[in-house]
Amino acid sequence: MSLDCVVIGGGAAGLFCAVKLAQRGKKAAVIEHMDSCGRKLAITGKGRCNVTNNCDALTVMNNIPRNPKFMFSALQGFAPADTMSFFEGLGVPLKTERGGRVFPCSDSARDIVRALVKAAEDAGVKIVYDRAEKLIIRSGAVNGVKCTGGEYHAPNVVVATGGRSYPKTGSTGDGYRFAQQTGHTVTAITASLCPMVTREHEECADAMGLSLKNCTLSLYEQGKKKPLFSELGEMLFTHFGLSGPLVLSASAHMGDTNKKRYTVKIDLKPALSEKQLDERILRDFSGFENREFQNSLVKLLPAKLIPIIVKRSGIAGDKRVNQITKSERLELVRCLKALEYNILSLRPVDEAIITRGGVRVSEIDPGTMASKLCRGLYFIGEVLDVDAYTGGFNLQIAFSTANSCAVHMA
Ligand SMILES: Cc1cc2nc3c(=O)[nH]c(=O)nc-3n(C[C@H](O)[C@H](O)[C@H](O)COP(=O)(O)OP(=O)(O)OC[C@H]3O[C@@H](n4cnc5c(N)ncnc54)[C@H](O)[C@@H]3O)c2cc1C
């Protein structure tokens, strides 16, 4: 079969691009090296798939910390409203939740995967389960893809191989190799939306598994007063440090941890001012006057946090509550309002939700996703050096870049 286009990667961007191409009459094949398409898509949003954000294109750009301008045309051409119409048009009803996050009403990411794969099959996309090994280049233009099982020739090749995070889903970073094969620059590959390793990891390990549902987490760069990030939400203690939604979101605001130092401060009682918290502690203490300090925090804190806070407060655990001084109490309040951790690094990129870095965007036409270095070659989705905060923005990047590429090629 003669093909107009070979798409490498049957993930969010690749499948979407192939559907759009085939719907416009192009003969497209998707090469996927896992035994099914959309393995990463199926685990997005904790299995619920936060498929986009119900906002305008400009708001998406404001949620892209690196290279937002590159996304301008793609988002003008295909905005979140278009993503929502697309999936609803495929028979997947959607709902909008807190912060504009859009999910399928079924809360099942598999419904999104199934809809995309079915749309691809219905439109006549050929899905080939094989591993792309190398681009075939002739006279400075791409001419196809060499796979483990054979060669696929086409005048257009789209690299939609994703990044390097969660490699078990298939995104093993092969796209960077294809980019380098054609002279493209690949910027440093690191993690974003990633758990954090703390200097106080032993303390975190003691609280391992503890999830705080209603705390405020603020991220600071050393030497700066204003937090880089501060939000109310949920976080988790782990054996190496900190994880959970707030921590992942905060990590996207960090630079290179080898060059800059960061701390996070956790406000365990964000609904109370220091004064209100002090009054609350006084009330608790009055009921426990003869208890030891370490046994007086049961109403205030989850059990796993008590030894940590006792130690950090500097008050002896066996001190009688009625002997605790006002200044000791105020130190306790300070600990509860700003439980501080020093961040040593992020966890490895394998454990990140998103890869930071990728194919340098100045070498890609932002209106078409075409390579400026090799005719017929395109890059879409996470393989590009663009990444966003949480909220459905990363999948929107995949769909918008895929759309630009398909519209241009067709
Ligand atoms: C746990 C988790 C949760 C997430 N949740 C969300 C969320 O709720 N909302 C959101 O917006 N984003 C979320 N993301 C990010 C989102 O999944 C990615 O941004 C998106 O999948 C990127 O799409 P892509 O098509 O570029 O890459 P991928 O979806 O990774 O697809 C790449 C495909 O290429 C294939 N491939 C790679 N190399 C080859 C090769 N050599 N030959 C053949 N095939 C190859 C892979 O097997 C894969 O199927 C989440 C990510 C993770 C890890």
mmCIF file of all heavy atoms in Angstrom, residues 9-11 15 30 32 34-42 113 117 127 129:
data_model
loop_
_atom_site.group_PDB
_atom_site.id
_atom_site.type_symbol
_atom_site.label_atom_id
_atom_site.label_comp_id
_atom_site.label_asym_id
_atom_site.label_seq_id
_atom_site.Cartn_x
_atom_site.Cartn_y
_atom_site.Cartn_z
ATOM 1 N N GLY A 9 4.553 6.214 16.562
ATOM 2 C CA GLY A 9 4.013 6.377 17.909
ATOM 3 C C GLY A 9 2.497 6.443 17.907
ATOM 4 O O GLY A 9 1.905 7.344 17.330
ATOM 5 N N GLY A 10 1.894 5.449 18.555
ATOM 6 C CA GLY A 10 0.428 5.407 18.652
ATOM 7 C C GLY A 10 -0.026 5.869 20.018
ATOM 8 O O GLY A 10 -0.786 5.192 20.702
ATOM 9 N N GLY A 11 0.468 7.036 20.427
ATOM 10 C CA GLY A 11 0.021 7.641 21.690
ATOM 11 C C GLY A 11 -0.993 8.733 21.389
ATOM 12 O O GLY A 11 -1.606 8.753 20.307
ATOM 13 N N LEU A 15 -1.928 9.107 17.400
ATOM 14 C CA LEU A 15 -3.251 8.607 16.997
ATOM 15 C C LEU A 15 -4.119 9.745 16.489
ATOM 16 O O LEU A 15 -4.785 9.651 15.465
ATOM 17 C CB LEU A 15 -3.951 7.938 18.197
ATOM 18 C CG LEU A 15 -3.520 6.524 18.561
ATOM 19 C CD1 LEU A 15 -4.228 6.083 19.836
ATOM 20 C CD2 LEU A 15 -3.839 5.543 17.428
ATOM 21 N N VAL A 30 0.212 4.149 11.398
ATOM 22 C CA VAL A 30 0.806 4.427 12.707
ATOM 23 C C VAL A 30 1.678 3.238 13.075
ATOM 24 O O VAL A 30 1.229 2.088 13.003
ATOM 25 C CB VAL A 30 -0.294 4.622 13.787
ATOM 26 C CG1 VAL A 30 0.314 4.641 15.179
ATOM 27 C CG2 VAL A 30 -1.089 5.901 13.542
ATOM 28 N N GLU A 32 3.519 1.420 16.085
ATOM 29 C CA GLU A 32 3.511 1.423 17.559
ATOM 30 C C GLU A 32 4.289 0.200 18.051
ATOM 31 O O GLU A 32 4.000 -0.920 17.630
ATOM 32 C CB GLU A 32 2.061 1.402 18.065
ATOM 33 C CG GLU A 32 1.920 1.180 19.565
ATOM 34 C CD GLU A 32 2.708 2.168 20.422
ATOM 35 O OE1 GLU A 32 2.565 3.385 20.236
ATOM 36 O OE2 GLU A 32 3.496 1.698 21.279
ATOM 37 N N MET A 34 4.545 -0.951 21.259
ATOM 38 C CA MET A 34 3.943 -1.734 22.343
ATOM 39 C C MET A 34 2.870 -2.629 21.713
ATOM 40 O O MET A 34 2.564 -2.504 20.536
ATOM 41 C CB MET A 34 3.315 -0.805 23.388
ATOM 42 C CG MET A 34 4.282 0.177 24.008
ATOM 43 S SD MET A 34 5.684 -0.598 24.833
ATOM 44 C CE MET A 34 4.942 -1.073 26.387
ATOM 45 N N ASP A 35 2.268 -3.517 22.553
ATOM 46 C CA ASP A 35 1.278 -4.404 21.920
ATOM 47 C C ASP A 35 -0.109 -3.783 21.833
ATOM 48 O O ASP A 35 -1.055 -4.399 21.350
ATOM 49 C CB ASP A 35 1.249 -5.779 22.621
ATOM 50 C CG ASP A 35 1.008 -5.646 24.103
ATOM 51 O OD1 ASP A 35 0.634 -4.526 24.537
ATOM 52 O OD2 ASP A 35 1.182 -6.635 24.833
ATOM 53 N N SER A 36 -0.237 -2.535 22.317
ATOM 54 C CA SER A 36 -1.486 -1.799 22.092
ATOM 55 C C SER A 36 -1.157 -0.317 22.062
ATOM 56 O O SER A 36 -0.106 0.108 22.559
ATOM 57 C CB SER A 36 -2.509 -2.113 23.190
ATOM 58 O OG SER A 36 -1.999 -1.714 24.439
ATOM 59 N N CYS A 37 -2.062 0.461 21.476
ATOM 60 C CA CYS A 37 -1.836 1.912 21.388
ATOM 61 C C CYS A 37 -2.312 2.601 22.677
ATOM 62 O O CYS A 37 -3.136 2.068 23.412
ATOM 63 C CB CYS A 37 -2.626 2.481 20.218
ATOM 64 S SG CYS A 37 -1.941 2.053 18.624
ATOM 65 N N GLY A 38 -1.773 3.776 22.914
ATOM 66 C CA GLY A 38 -2.286 4.631 23.995
ATOM 67 C C GLY A 38 -2.065 4.106 25.396
ATOM 68 O O GLY A 38 -2.899 4.304 26.278
ATOM 69 N N ARG A 39 -0.923 3.413 25.606
ATOM 70 C CA ARG A 39 -0.674 2.847 26.947
ATOM 71 C C ARG A 39 -0.537 3.961 27.999
ATOM 72 O O ARG A 39 -0.995 3.819 29.125
ATOM 73 C CB ARG A 39 0.593 1.995 26.933
ATOM 74 C CG ARG A 39 0.453 0.739 26.079
ATOM 75 C CD ARG A 39 -0.225 -0.376 26.843
ATOM 76 N NE ARG A 39 0.677 -0.937 27.808
ATOM 77 C CZ ARG A 39 1.367 -2.063 27.638
ATOM 78 N NH1 ARG A 39 1.231 -2.751 26.529
ATOM 79 N NH2 ARG A 39 2.163 -2.521 28.573
ATOM 80 N N LYS A 40 0.154 5.047 27.626
ATOM 81 C CA LYS A 40 0.291 6.136 28.609
ATOM 82 C C LYS A 40 -1.038 6.857 28.796
ATOM 83 O O LYS A 40 -1.446 7.142 29.917
ATOM 84 C CB LYS A 40 1.385 7.124 28.187
ATOM 85 C CG LYS A 40 1.615 8.196 29.237
ATOM 86 C CD LYS A 40 2.786 9.084 28.926
ATOM 87 C CE LYS A 40 4.108 8.432 29.290
ATOM 88 N NZ LYS A 40 5.252 9.257 28.972
ATOM 89 N N LEU A 41 -1.709 7.099 27.684
ATOM 90 C CA LEU A 41 -3.006 7.777 27.745
ATOM 91 C C LEU A 41 -3.955 7.045 28.702
ATOM 92 O O LEU A 41 -4.732 7.674 29.431
ATOM 93 C CB LEU A 41 -3.589 7.795 26.316
ATOM 94 C CG LEU A 41 -4.760 8.720 26.003
ATOM 95 C CD1 LEU A 41 -4.449 10.156 26.411
ATOM 96 C CD2 LEU A 41 -5.085 8.656 24.515
ATOM 97 N N ALA A 42 -3.853 5.717 28.720
ATOM 98 C CA ALA A 42 -4.761 4.904 29.542
ATOM 99 C C ALA A 42 -4.520 5.076 31.042
ATOM 100 O O ALA A 42 -5.381 4.715 31.849
ATOM 101 C CB ALA A 42 -4.634 3.438 29.156
ATOM 102 N N VAL A 113 -9.014 6.295 25.043
ATOM 103 C CA VAL A 113 -8.136 5.471 24.181
ATOM 104 C C VAL A 113 -8.984 4.726 23.149
ATOM 105 O O VAL A 113 -8.699 4.756 21.946
ATOM 106 C CB VAL A 113 -7.308 4.461 25.019
ATOM 107 C CG1 VAL A 113 -6.451 3.586 24.119
ATOM 108 C CG2 VAL A 113 -6.439 5.190 26.033
ATOM 109 N N VAL A 117 -8.701 5.025 19.075
ATOM 110 C CA VAL A 117 -8.315 3.861 18.251
ATOM 111 C C VAL A 117 -9.443 3.535 17.263
ATOM 112 O O VAL A 117 -9.194 3.288 16.076
ATOM 113 C CB VAL A 117 -7.980 2.636 19.143
ATOM 114 C CG1 VAL A 117 -7.780 1.377 18.299
ATOM 115 C CG2 VAL A 117 -6.732 2.910 19.978
ATOM 116 N N ILE A 127 -2.742 0.471 11.479
ATOM 117 C CA ILE A 127 -1.921 0.439 12.693
ATOM 118 C C ILE A 127 -0.984 -0.767 12.611
ATOM 119 O O ILE A 127 -1.438 -1.907 12.454
ATOM 120 C CB ILE A 127 -2.786 0.398 13.969
ATOM 121 C CG1 ILE A 127 -3.667 1.665 14.034
ATOM 122 C CG2 ILE A 127 -1.903 0.301 15.226
ATOM 123 C CD1 ILE A 127 -4.571 1.778 15.233
ATOM 124 N N TYR A 129 2.030 -2.900 14.412
ATOM 125 C CA TYR A 129 2.737 -3.103 15.682
ATOM 126 C C TYR A 129 4.172 -3.534 15.392
ATOM 127 O O TYR A 129 4.445 -4.691 15.066
ATOM 128 C CB TYR A 129 1.975 -4.093 16.570
ATOM 129 C CG TYR A 129 0.703 -3.446 17.082
ATOM 130 C CD1 TYR A 129 -0.534 -3.700 16.486
ATOM 131 C CD2 TYR A 129 0.755 -2.511 18.103
ATOM 132 C CE1 TYR A 129 -1.683 -3.053 16.921
ATOM 133 C CE2 TYR A 129 -0.381 -1.859 18.544
ATOM 134 C CZ TYR A 129 -1.593 -2.137 17.953
ATOM 135 O OH TYR A 129 -2.717 -1.474 18.380
#
